[in-house]
Structure formats: C-alpha cells, structure tokens
Amino acid sequence: MGRLNGKIILISGGARGQGAAEARRCVAEGARVVIGDLLDDAGNALAAELNGAAVYVHQDVTKEADWDAALQAAEAMGGLHGLINNAGIYQPKRLMDTDAELFERHMRVNQLGCFLGMKAVVPLMEKSGGGSIVNISSTAGLRGSPGAIAYSATKWALRGMTKAAAVDLAPRKIRVNSVHPGPIDTDMLKVRTAEENEQRLQFVPMKRMGTADEIASLVVYLLSDESGYVTGAEVAIDGGSTL
Ligand SMILES: NC(=O)c1ccc[n+]([C@@H]2O[C@H](COP(=O)([O-])OP(=O)(O)OC[C@H]3O[C@@H](n4cnc5c(N)ncnc54)[C@H](O)[C@@H]3O)[C@@H](O)[C@H]2O)c1
C-alpha cells in the first residue's frame, strides 16, 4: 500500500528539479498527479514517463486562468487532495543592485503564484473531503540570505502566508505547511558558479547539498495522512544550515 493511495496531487513547477522528483515519488506512493509548468517539453516527457498516472498542463502560476485549467485537469481525474506550491525563480542580487522590476518579478512568481494556488484549490479540495497544501519556501525564509533580497522577501512571505492559510483552512479540513530547503542540487543553483556553490557549503554543518529526492520524502509525509495533525508548521530540511 502506498502512502498516497487514491490521492490526486497538483504540483506547480513540476517539470524538472524538485517538482519532478516529487511527481515521481507521489506516483510511486500510489497517487496520480497533475504537473503544471512553463516547460512544455520536459513536462510532457515526465507525464509520458509516469505512464497514465500523470497529466501535464501548461501553467504560469501568476495567471488565474492557468490555475483554472490545472484544476479542471484534476477534476477530470476525480478530485484533488494535495497541492505542492513548488514553482519558483531565484535571480539573486544584493539590495543596492535590485530594481523594482526584479523585486516585483519574484513577488509575482514566488508569492502571488502561491497565493493564487492556495485560493484556487480550496473548493475542489473541500469537495474531495479535505487535503494538504505544501508551500516550498527556503532557508532564505528563515534567516537573512546573502545577496538575494527579492527572493528572500518572497520566501519569508510564504512562511507567514502558510500560517495564515492554515488557520483559515483548518475548518475545511485542509492543512497547510511550509518546507524550507537549504541548498539542493538542481538547475536553480546553476545561477552560481560551482566554486560559489562549494564555498556556500562551509555554512552547512553536513557539508553537502541536499537532493531533490530528500525533499520529496518530506513532502510525501506532509501530503499523506501520516501528518494528519500537522498544520502551520515550518520544516527546515537543510543539513543543519539554519542551526
Ligand atoms: N535548489 C535550491 O537550492 C532551493 C533551495 C530552497 C528552495 N528552493 C525552492 O524549491 C522550489 C523548486 O526549485 P528547484 O530547485 O527544483 O529549481 P528549478 O529551477 O529546477 O525548478 C523550478 C521550476 O519552477 C518552474 N517555474 C518558474 N516560473 C514559473 C511560473 N511562472 N509558472 C510555473 N512554473 C514556473 C520552472 O520552469 C521550473 O520547472 C522553488 O520554489 C525554489 O525556490 C530551491
């Protein structure tokens, strides 16, 4: 028996990286998934690999109409029990090098996208008997992260939005939690050189990056009924880097 047997899960930004690892793990645990992303080729290839247990929809998380399309795909599968608000961008610049356009771009994708997602899924999740929302924040939402003021603003926002939504949605049997990864080995960190990524490991007591699979393990737990009394929590998964 898989831990997500019979559940239907929507994953934003699910075509690659952590989202793709989560899609594979959700299916391995018995779920069916709707994968949303801007990357149509990667998204379609992943859905084909998951062979009947997944559909891909083109989805820009900043657009309400795209959330509607993703919800329609879930409804066609039979309902919705989980949402992973995973889509995100990381275009790091220091405070004095950040302009309003870069700041707003992060706010739209990372923060507004998460808000629109949480709001959009409620009616179908409630109709499906309740569910679990997992918001992918970052250690940049737990402490001051160097050289990434706009990204940090959005990841701190997700932490607070998670708690506010957890209170609002508890009566509807919907749990909401935030996950705070440290450095994870995905394409996102290619914005830095290999040497810069290596240097950052001096702040990680475990002296290595995490893997997308390790994040997927935590997310599966938060989506599953095993975490039935966990809501509004913020879980760091960072090799100790925020200790
Ligand atoms: N990699 C890390 O070190 C790290 C650390 C902490 C948190 N995170 C967070 O984890 C999440 C997943 O990141 P990842 O590491 O897999 O990186 P990634 O860049 O591989 O994945 C991000 C995905 O989001 C998608 N995306 C971007 N803008 C979108 C939009 N407007 N609409 C829909 N999809 C969009 C991208 O196409 C991509 O598939 C992000 O929220 C990121 O901020 C990553």
Side-chain angles (χ1 to χ4, degrees), residues 3-236:
R3 288 184 295 165
L4 301 178
N5 260 359
K7 293 192 192 287
I8 299 168
I9 313 288
L10 170 56
I11 308 171
S12 74
R16 73 175 194 195
Q18 294 176 52
E22 286 152 9
R24 291 188 178 99
R25 285 293 289 279
C26 286
V27 169
E29 292 285 352
R32 284 171 296 151
V33 296
V34 177
I35 300 160
D37 209 306
L38 301 171
L39 304 175
D40 296 339
D41 289 348
N44 280 317
L46 179 60
E49 173 197 319
L50 295 174
N51 197 19
V55 294
Y56 171 74
V57 290
H58 180 89
Q59 182 198 30
D60 179 341
V61 291
T62 69
K63 298 196 170 133
E64 287 189 90
D66 286 8
W67 280 105
D68 290 344
L71 265 292
Q72 277 170 27
E75 195 157 25
M77 274 186 173
L80 189 69
H81 311 95
L83 165 67
I84 311 172
N85 266 319
N86 166 77
I89 56 169
Y90 174 66
Q91 297 166 354
K93 284 204 190 305
R94 283 184 290 247
L95 171 64
M96 297 309 287
D97 302 321
T98 297
D99 58 20
E101 198 275 324
L102 183 70
F103 192 83
E104 283 182 352
R105 194 185 316 149
H106 280 81
M107 291 217 326
R108 288 192 67 76
V109 178
N110 297 359
Q111 184 177 349
L112 178 71
C114 174
F115 161 74
L116 292 177
M118 289 199 289
K119 189 174 170 193
V121 299
V122 168
L124 185 58
M125 236 181 221
E126 205 175 6
K127 211 169 116 188
S128 307
S132 168
I133 298 173
V134 180
N135 293 329
I136 306 299
S137 175
S138 169
T139 49
L142 294 173
R143 53 145 168 74
S145 181
I149 183 91
Y151 182 79
S152 298
T154 63
K155 293 301 185 178
W156 276 83
L158 257 56
R159 183 182 178 198
M161 284 161 58
T162 295
K163 294 182 196 310
V167 175
D168 281 356
L169 298 182
R172 297 172 191 258
K173 296 191 168 46
I174 297 173
R175 300 181 293 107
V176 192
N177 294 288
S178 60
V179 166
H180 299 259
I184 306 302
D185 192 8
T186 68
D187 284 349
M188 184 169 271
L189 291 192
K190 289 188 178 152
V191 69
R192 300 186 208 136
T193 64
E195 293 72 41
E196 284 167 343
N197 278 322
E198 193 61 37
Q199 276 170 10
R200 293 266 182 132
L201 292 182
Q202 67 181 291
F203 303 110
V204 182
M206 289 181 70
K207 300 290 176 225
R208 67 167 177 88
M209 284 195 198
T211 67
D213 253 352
E214 287 172 318
I215 304 300
S217 293
L218 172 60
V219 170
V220 163
Y221 166 72
L222 291 171
L223 291 171
S224 77
D225 296 339
E226 289 178 359
S227 59
Y229 200 48
V230 182
T231 197
E234 53 192 55
V235 187

